[in-house]
Amino acid sequence: MNEKYAVKLFEEYKIRTKWDSEKEEYYYSVIDVIAVLTESKRPRKYWSDLKNRLKSEGSEVSENIGRLKMPANDGKMRLTDVATTKQLLRLIQSVPSPKAEPFKQWLAQVGNERIEEIADPEIAMQRAIDTYRKKGYSEEWITQRMRSIETRKDLTAEWNRVGVNEGIEYAILTDDISKAWSGMSTKKYKQYKGLKKEGLRDNMTNMELILNMLAEASTTEISKAENPDGFNESRDVAKRGGSIAGNARREIEQETGKSVITRKNSENPELLDE
């Protein structure tokens, strides 16, 4: 099953999803959906009680719910209950909520947008740009962010070519690059910026984005030149590629007298240009 992780926004809420390109189906985190519909501070407890009630009523909805690994608050991949669009629509009927109808409309919109994006990937890029603008990011920052997405795609394509597996191996190599250029793992970098579920790159300054891009682009070029065999050899390449950006960071800091790594985040996106 070819799956792609994503976070979809419903109002101010974040819904974790996975797209299965073979089945052409979205899987949604049930806990996230319950949190939206009920606004409960304990969505897991609410969902546990609801499952028991549905089971006692003879409903097959909860029994057909699957489980997939998704990114948790701590950044690790953890099993969570997931549901397809059809399953969610049936589940929503069991949750009294004023958000039920708007959420149904949102589900239909998400599915339609995915079909459009498959047909024309530029649509996905434009939607991302529009979202960043609404959040208050500058045009300069958005340009750098779009470039960083392309740089990351080139890197993951290269990893795929040399036999690196998606998931944990990608995460380890990403950490190797991050440590080599910034001095911190991805998890510690996020903690330094006060982040939880938020994406690290969406909270980087222009300079942080540029150096991260340099680290990933350097790793890609070294890999293309040396053709490492799989994950273990790619780790050495990742560390060396990240070190190129790490050296650049230290030179910049020496010349400017201030740290490139900052605590700035998207709470004040206008500060990310400074």
Side-chain angles (χ1 to χ4, degrees), residues 2-274:
N2 185 10
E3 299 161 337
K4 298 297 181 184
Y5 300 97
V7 172
K8 300 295 184 183
L9 294 176
F10 171 75
E11 297 179 348
E12 74 274 20
Y13 298 94
K14 293 182 178 180
I15 311 293
R16 289 171 295 167
T17 70
K18 276 189 178 181
W19 170 256
D20 184 337
S21 59
E22 293 178 3
K23 296 181 179 179
E24 296 190 346
E25 182 77 76
Y26 264 122
Y27 290 86
Y28 300 84
S29 165
V30 175
I31 293 296
D32 294 350
V33 173
I34 291 294
V36 169
L37 295 176
T38 66
E39 297 183 326
S40 170
K41 294 182 179 179
R42 301 178 64 192
R44 294 183 186 279
K45 178 66 167 55
Y46 190 103
W47 171 230
S48 177
D49 293 343
L50 178 59
K51 280 197 292 186
N52 291 333
R53 177 169 65 82
L54 291 172
K55 187 175 181 179
S56 67
E57 293 173 354
S59 172
E60 297 181 356
V61 175
S62 62
E63 293 181 7
N64 294 329
I65 295 295
R67 302 198 84 201
L68 290 174
K69 285 189 175 182
M70 288 188 168
N73 286 341
D74 59 7
K76 294 182 179 180
M77 301 298 293
R78 300 188 184 279
L79 282 172
T80 189
D81 288 351
V82 296
T84 63
T85 301
K86 183 178 179 180
Q87 290 170 331
L88 277 184
L89 288 172
R90 293 181 63 188
L91 184 62
I92 288 170
Q93 296 174 1
S94 303
V95 182
S97 170
K99 292 183 180 291
E101 191 57 37
F103 197 84
K104 291 178 184 178
Q105 295 174 7
W106 176 82
L107 282 174
Q109 179 184 351
V110 168
N112 183 63
E113 287 178 354
R114 182 61 189 176
I115 293 172
E116 292 176 349
E117 290 168 3
I118 292 172
D120 186 357
E122 288 187 11
I123 293 176
M125 296 291 284
Q126 187 57 52
R127 286 200 175 106
I129 290 171
D130 292 342
T131 298
Y132 286 130
R133 283 174 177 159
K134 289 177 182 177
K135 290 182 176 181
Y137 291 94
S138 71
E139 293 301 316
E140 181 182 357
W141 186 94
I142 293 172
T143 298
Q144 294 293 355
R145 184 69 181 96
M146 292 300 103
R147 288 172 179 166
S148 75
I149 291 172
E150 291 302 315
T151 300
R152 178 69 180 182
K153 285 182 180 178
D154 290 343
L155 176 59
T156 55
E158 175 60 17
W159 282 344
N160 181 65
R161 184 186 73 82
V162 299
V164 177
N165 297 315
E166 286 191 56
I168 187 64
E169 291 187 355
Y170 275 28
I172 292 172
L173 293 180
T174 300
D175 263 353
D176 286 339
I177 294 172
S178 180
K179 290 175 184 176
W181 87 259
S182 71
M184 291 183 281
S185 66
T186 303
K187 181 179 179 180
K188 288 186 177 179
Y189 204 157
K190 290 180 69 172
Q191 290 174 342
Y192 184 75
K193 283 182 172 285
L195 308 177
K196 293 181 180 178
K197 287 186 178 182
E198 302 90 338
L200 179 57
R201 289 173 178 80
D202 284 351
N203 290 272
M204 287 182 172
T205 63
N206 271 324
M207 183 56 68
E208 288 172 303
L209 278 174
I210 290 169
L211 288 174
N212 192 69
M213 288 165 57
L214 175 60
E216 294 191 334
S218 299
T219 301
T220 301
E221 293 306 309
I222 295 172
S223 182
K224 287 179 179 178
E226 298 187 0
N227 288 306
D229 184 11
F231 171 68
N232 289 329
E233 292 185 11
S234 291
R235 288 201 71 179
D236 176 66
V237 172
K239 293 171 184 176
R240 287 155 54 203
S243 293
I244 291 173
N247 292 333
R249 173 181 65 82
R250 285 184 284 274
E251 289 187 24
I252 292 170
E253 290 174 342
Q254 185 175 355
E255 292 293 330
T256 63
K258 62 181 181 179
S259 175
V260 167
I261 310 299
T262 76
R263 294 185 182 273
K264 296 175 182 177
N265 57 47
S266 61
E267 286 187 4
N268 297 291
E270 67 277 4
L271 300 180
L272 296 176
D273 285 317
E274 296 179 359

